[in-house]
């Protein structure tokens, strides 16, 4: 195996500037949306006292979950000693940081009082899983930054495995923490499941890897560097496994909930008669976000085709957003069981209405744009990308 | 470190100088009356009136936030430090005899806060004029 | 202000002003003729609670309670917020028992849980429980994350969706923060009953100290059968109901 050489991207082409300009436009639109929302108050959004977390939370949690998953590639290399993934470690760390930054931005800008962020950083309630998450996010930034440094600095290389293991552990805790945000809401039937946290971990694997693959393929294509099949096909297989695992967890989660009598109402709602949520679940999450990508990844006709891999990754990301939409919004739309054994005739109940507004959507998309722009810029300034990932460079066992 | 200290000290000094600037426009209706009667508002024992005023100007955020925590979180009521009392004395009245919000431009609170460039967050929630029944 | 407690004082004072604080501590104000005294902090020897008897409570009683609360605190006339965005600290609920078909009406507000989920989840300690059991939002610390609203099993909390002006002096409310029934803490601290309780002339709603064996609420709870809403969650609510 030859030595891997990393190199910055040139970042001078028209395409580069077009990309930056395009992403910049999204970010500006997001800021305009935020200004509009914060200036007027949340009454201009679709959110209400029943649907307290709306579309921005869908994007924010999606990005945060994907962030920890994007670190997987580096973890496989360092923790599980799979050499072939090693050259991808730097990019993996970078994508993880960028996605987390985007997600946190959305989360913070949707607060009722984003100007009081300093309060969130100084006043901690250690009983609150939310406060723990703030610590976990900050720690993730720090630990991944150190990890990247260990990888960049040759004399620090020898520590990179140790830090890699630490980062891997941290990201598992982080996603568990994110999942637990819901797990602790005992009164909401939709979230009352131990499965929530592990499901989030598996989801993070799939979403993070989908993002990673897209960014990897795009950056190699646009910088005209070589990217061999050895790596791409492995990543593609891995992606398939993760998607299947998510599907499995989703099935266990819903079947488990069906068995719990007290949760059968909300299960029925999501699976059968929840209108938009049922449709999103079956068509969006299951078919478009899981089954179609699996078919694309494994069927002989499309297997190994990069365009199809790209398409599958995009579908997984869209499906992931839909999944979080169903969990977050659907779970709130279904009323809480205030009086078990009684029917509420008046005053509370019914399915809460929610129509997302443009401002919310722009804020969410802006989060993705922030992540992508961060990656685009940083690969220009620091050598994140191996100059070539052609098969004979990347694969130690490749027989040319 | 020492450079930081110098920056820090000069910031403190300049803020003290700013605080010592006695010209405060628009004291507000009742406060002006109080002053014209020759009473010494905010006067503290063992301190000249001028010094007491500087202290009040410099420290009112701390006094208020100290008291607000006690009131809200421990149920300590009464006492001198109450935001509603600030508002009561320091609001002005317009031509029609209506109270002008104390955080409106050129009113008591906003004038200084604008001058020293600090945010004025109390009134995103608190009432800006004396209570209706007064 | 009487003696400023020096330690408390410095604790809440920033480094910049710590020097001034030292000078200020121990100094008393003399300008005001009769200095209003500060009351003592509330203690956990009391626990405020309410008992709502749905057999005695008429529907118009409930409307009166809701109106009294709105009047007292000034919520519910937000001009831009629509439908579910409007604040609702207390609401009228009509339930029918699925087995017996019996219908009961009740008023539902923050239940002032002893183990409040809203307080557990709040990242900044803005949601808090006073020593005497009243659960409040410290809006100075609230960042508007709305996690408490997700956690409350009683849909008791509202988010302020728009800018407000002309609030009541005793009830600051503002855009971007969360609010809920305060059990009229400003009245309770003066020794008065909450506005909703005062609005009902019968004894359908009793307010008082749950711990005090001589209080009416304590004695009634010993006599009649009462229940907590979602008692299965073990939150030990301060608001109890009988007749449902
Ligand atoms: S009823 Fe809801 S808001 Fe009130 S204390 Fe309980 S959890 Fe908190
Ligand atoms: S919205 Fe405010 S009170 Fe509620 S959990 Fe967040 S910070 Fe705490």
């Amino acid at each position: 195996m030859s030595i891997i050489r990393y190199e910055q991207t040139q970042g001078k082409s028209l395409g580069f500037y077009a990309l930056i300009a395009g992403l910049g436009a999204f970010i500006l639109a997001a800021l305009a949306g935020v200004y509009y929302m914060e200036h007027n108050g949340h009454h201009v959004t679709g959110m209400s006292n029943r649907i307290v977390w709306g579309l921005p939370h869908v994007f924010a949690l999606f990005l945060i979950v994907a962030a920890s998953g994007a670190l997987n590639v580096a973890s496989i290399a360092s923790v599980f000693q799979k050499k072939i993934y090693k050259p991808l470690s730097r990019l993996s760390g970078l994508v993880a940081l960028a996605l987390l930054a985007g997600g946190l931005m959305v989360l913070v800008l949707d607060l009722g009082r984003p100007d009081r962020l300093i309060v969130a950083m100084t006043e901690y309630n250690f009983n609150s899983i939310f406060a723990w998450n703030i610590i976990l996010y900050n720690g993730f930034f720090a630990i991944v930054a150190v990890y990247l440094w260990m990888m960049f600095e040759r004399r620090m290389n020898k520590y990179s495995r140790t830090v890699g293991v630490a980062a891997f552990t941290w990201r598992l805790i982080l996603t568990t923490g994110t999942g637990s945000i819901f797990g602790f809401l005992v009164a909401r039937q939709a979230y009352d499941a131990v499965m929530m946290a592990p499901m989030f971990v598996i989801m993070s694997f799939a979403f993070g890897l989908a993002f990673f693959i897209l960014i990897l393929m795009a950056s190699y294509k646009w910088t005209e560097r070589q990217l061999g099949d050895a790596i791409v096909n492995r990543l593609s297989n891995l992606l398939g496994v993760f998607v299947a695992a998510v599907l499995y967890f989703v099935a266990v989660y819903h079947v488990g909930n069906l068995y719990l009598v007290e949760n059968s109402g909300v299960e029925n709602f999501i699976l059968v008669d929840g209108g938009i949520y049922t449709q999103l679940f079956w068509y969006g999450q299951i078919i478009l976000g899981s089954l179609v990508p699996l078919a694309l990844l494994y069927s002989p006709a499309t297997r190994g085709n990069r365009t199809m891999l790209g398409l599958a990754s995009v579908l997984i990301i869209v499906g992931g957003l839909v999944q979080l939409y169903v969990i977050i919004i659907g779970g709130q739309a279904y009323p809480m069981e205030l009086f078990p054994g009684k029917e509420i005739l008046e005053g509370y109940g019914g399915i809460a209405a929610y129509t997302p507004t443009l401002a919310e959507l722009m804020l969410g998309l802006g989060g993705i744009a922030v992540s992508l722009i961060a990656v685009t810029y940083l690969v220009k300034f620091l050598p994140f990308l191996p100059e070539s990932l052609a098969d004979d460079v990347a694969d130690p066992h490749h027989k040319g | 470190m020492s450079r930081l200290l110098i920056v820090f000290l000069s910031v403190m000094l300049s803020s003290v100088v700013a605080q010592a600037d006695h010209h405060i426009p628009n004291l507000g209706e009742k406060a002006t009356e109080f002053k014209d009667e020759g009473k010494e508002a905010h006067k503290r024992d063992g301190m000249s009136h001028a010094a007491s005023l500087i202290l009040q100007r410099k420290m009112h955020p701390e006094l208020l936030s100290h008291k607000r925590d006690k009131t809200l979180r421990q149920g300590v009521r009464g006492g001198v430090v109450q935001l509603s009392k600030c508002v009561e004395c320091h609001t002005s009245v317009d031509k029609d005899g209506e109270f002008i919000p104390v955080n409106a431009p050129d009113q008591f609170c906003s004038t200084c806060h604008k001058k020293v460039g600090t945010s004025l967050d109390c009134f995103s929630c608190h009432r800006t004029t004396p209570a209706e029944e007064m | 202000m009487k003696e400023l407690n020096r330690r408390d004082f410095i604790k809440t004072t920033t480094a910049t002003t710590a020097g001034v604080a030292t000078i200020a501590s121990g100094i008393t104000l003399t300008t005001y003729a009769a200095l209003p005294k500060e009351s003592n902090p509330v203690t956990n020897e009391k626990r405020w609670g309410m008992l709502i008897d749905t057999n005695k409570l008429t529907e118009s009683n409930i409307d009166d309670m809701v109106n009294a609360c709105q009047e007292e605190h000034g919520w519910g006339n937000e001009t831009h917020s629509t439908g579910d965005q409007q604040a609702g600290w207390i609401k009228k609920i009509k339930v029918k028992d699925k087995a017996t078909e019996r219908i009961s009406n009740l008023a539902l507000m923050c239940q002032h849980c002893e183990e409040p989920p809203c307080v557990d989840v709040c990242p900044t300690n803005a949601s808090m429980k006073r020593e005497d059991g009243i659960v409040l939002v410290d809006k100075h610390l609230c960042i508007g994350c709305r996690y408490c609203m997700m956690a409350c099993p009683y849909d008791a909390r509202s988010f302020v969706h728009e800018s407000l002006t002309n609030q009541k002096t005793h009830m600051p409310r503002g855009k971007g923060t969360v609010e809920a029934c305060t059990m009229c803490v400003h009245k309770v601290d003066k020794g008065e009953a909450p506005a909703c309780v005062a609005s009902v002339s019968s004894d359908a709603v009793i307010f008082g100290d749950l711990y005090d064996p001589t209080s009416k609420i304590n004695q009634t709870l010993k006599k009649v059968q009462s229940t907590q809403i979602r008692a299965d969650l073990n939150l030990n609510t301060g608001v109890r109901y009988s007749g449902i």
Side-chain angles (χ1 to χ4, degrees), chain A residues 36-103:
Chain A
Y36 174 67
M37 273 161 46
E38 297 297 340
H39 179 75
N40 290 295
H42 275 62
H43 79 86
V44 297
T45 70
M47 289 176 251
S48 66
N49 290 328
R50 284 283 307 277
I51 307 286
V52 301
W53 287 352
L55 198 54
H57 270 80
V58 171
F59 277 90
L61 289 175
F62 174 79
L63 285 169
I64 291 169
V65 164
S68 61
L71 193 66
N72 260 351
V73 176
S75 301
I76 297 172
S78 62
V79 180
F80 302 107
Q81 302 276 30
K82 295 267 187 276
K83 284 239 165 51
I84 186 162
Y85 293 106
K86 193 104 195 292
L88 300 176
S89 299
R90 294 183 180 185
L91 182 65
S92 159
L94 173 64
V95 173
L97 286 188
L99 290 176
L100 185 62

Side-chain angles (χ1 to χ4, degrees), chain A residues 111 128 130, chain C residues 118-119 121-128 136-139 141-149 157 159 176-179:
Chain A
L111 291 177
S128 166
F130 221 66
Chain C
C118 57
V119 173
V121 301
C122 176
T124 63
N125 290 319
S127 288
M128 45 91 49
L136 297 172
V137 180
D138 184 345
K139 289 170 189 173
L141 296 183
C142 176
I143 55 174
C145 69
R146 325 195 276 291
Y147 196 19
C148 54
M149 302 176 73
R157 295 200 154 188
F159 181 65
T177 54
V178 167
E179 55 183 16

Side-chain angles (χ1 to χ4, degrees), chain C residues 90-174:
Chain C
I90 173 171
K91 44 184 169 269
K92 176 177 166 185
I93 302 254
K94 192 191 272 285
V95 288
K96 183 168 90 179
D97 193 295
K98 281 181 189 154
T100 63
E101 307 230 315
R102 197 170 89 99
I103 291 182
S104 0
N105 294 295
L106 54 100
L108 183 74
M109 68 294 261
C110 170
Q111 304 287 296
H112 298 276
C113 312
E114 187 174 29
E115 309 281 346
C118 57
V119 173
D120 284 344
V121 301
C122 176
T124 63
N125 290 319
S127 288
M128 45 91 49
K129 190 180 71 172
R130 295 203 328 176
E131 287 290 305
D132 58 3
I134 297 181
V135 175
L136 297 172
V137 180
D138 184 345
K139 289 170 189 173
H140 307 106
L141 296 183
C142 176
I143 55 174
C145 69
R146 325 195 276 291
Y147 196 19
C148 54
M149 302 176 73
M150 291 289 273
C152 172
Y154 305 100
D155 191 43
R157 295 200 154 188
S158 308
F159 181 65
V160 180
H161 286 77
E162 62 184 81
S163 301
L164 300 174
T165 52
N166 210 14
Q167 297 91 331
K168 305 280 175 188
T169 302
H170 60 260
M171 192 58 241
R173 306 173 58 222

Side-chain angles (χ1 to χ4, degrees), chain A residues 193-196 198-199 244-260 267 271 281 286:
Chain A
V194 270
M195 287 296 289
M196 219 61 187
M199 191 166 83
V246 173
L247 211 50
Y248 172 75
F249 266 75
V250 169
V252 173
Y253 165 76
H254 285 292
V255 171
N257 249 359
L258 276 177
Y259 269 98
L260 284 175
E267 270 313 306
L271 300 182
F281 177 77
I286 301 298

